[in-house]
Amino acid sequence: MKKLFALMLALCLSLTAFAALAETAAAAEITWEEVAPMLEASGLTGEFVTFDEIAVKLFVPEGMTAAELTDEDREKGYIGYYAAEDGDAIAIQYVNVEGMTLEDYAASIQGDDVTGLEFGTVNGLPCISYEYNDCLVCAFTTQMGYILEVTVGPAADDNAKLGASVVLASIQAAE
């Protein structure tokens, strides 16, 4: 329990950098190097999954199973979907936004269901983070004019937000 609490505290401190971004001009940055030791200390396990379509990888916690994507899912831009028995899920979409900038994309998603929208950097990749319908989301632009959007949730309580935050902090370029 102490290890989990220590991980939660350290992640909260790291992730508050995104909140500070709204009040400062400096870009908030989260790196896997900061999160990985805390994850190891907590005893949480999982594995990295690589998405060849975009040469990006992310951490998928143990107990989440990859869903078989349908043609309709792929048409909507889904390149990955992982679910746990308790209802938690990770959805990865790669959507053509015709060269929209991150700022333009942020403006296009503003609405009643989007809260806490902030700009930052995850593992050197500029992004926006926000909450949408009890889920945590990170979105990145790509050189191909697409948006890579990773949604994790529902993140309805502190424990779920911790797991979601670990997944989002793990997004990085694949080797």
Side-chain angles (χ1 to χ4, degrees):
M1 188 64 162
K2 287 182 182 179
K3 289 180 183 180
L4 182 57
F5 179 73
L7 174 63
M8 288 177 64
L9 178 61
L11 275 176
C12 288
L13 292 173
S14 295
L15 295 175
T16 55
F18 275 136
L21 182 61
E23 298 177 17
T24 67
E29 183 171 343
I30 296 174
T31 65
W32 183 246
E33 288 77 23
E34 296 168 338
V35 176
M38 295 178 276
L39 179 66
E40 188 175 318
S42 75
L44 298 175
T45 59
E47 65 183 0
F48 272 91
V49 176
T50 300
F51 299 92
D52 295 329
E53 298 90 341
I54 53 171
V56 167
K57 66 181 182 177
L58 66 89
F59 180 81
V60 176
E62 190 173 290
M64 299 198 90
T65 306
E68 188 70 35
L69 297 175
T70 65
D71 290 339
E72 186 178 320
D73 293 333
R74 293 192 184 283
E75 286 175 16
K76 293 178 182 176
Y78 287 96
I79 60 172
Y81 189 87
Y82 298 83
E85 288 183 15
D86 64 3
D88 289 345
I90 303 170
I92 303 97
Q93 278 186 288
Y94 189 52
V95 180
N96 186 351
V97 292
E98 300 175 8
M100 192 180 284
T101 67
L102 201 54
E103 290 79 10
D104 293 339
Y105 186 69
S108 76
I109 62 170
Q110 294 282 344
D112 293 338
D113 294 335
V114 172
T115 61
L117 187 123
E118 298 166 353
F119 288 83
T121 305
V122 173
N123 297 308
L125 303 171
C127 69
I128 57 173
S129 63
Y130 59 94
E131 291 187 38
Y132 178 76
N133 290 337
D134 288 332
C135 294
L136 300 180
V137 183
C138 267
F140 307 82
T141 56
T142 70
Q143 294 174 344
M144 301 299 293
Y146 283 65
I147 289 286
L148 170 66
E149 192 167 80
V150 179
T151 304
V152 184
D157 61 35
D158 288 342
N159 206 24
K161 284 184 180 181
L162 169 66
S165 298
V166 168
V167 170
L168 296 177
S170 75
I171 300 166
Q172 58 193 282
E175 287 100 34

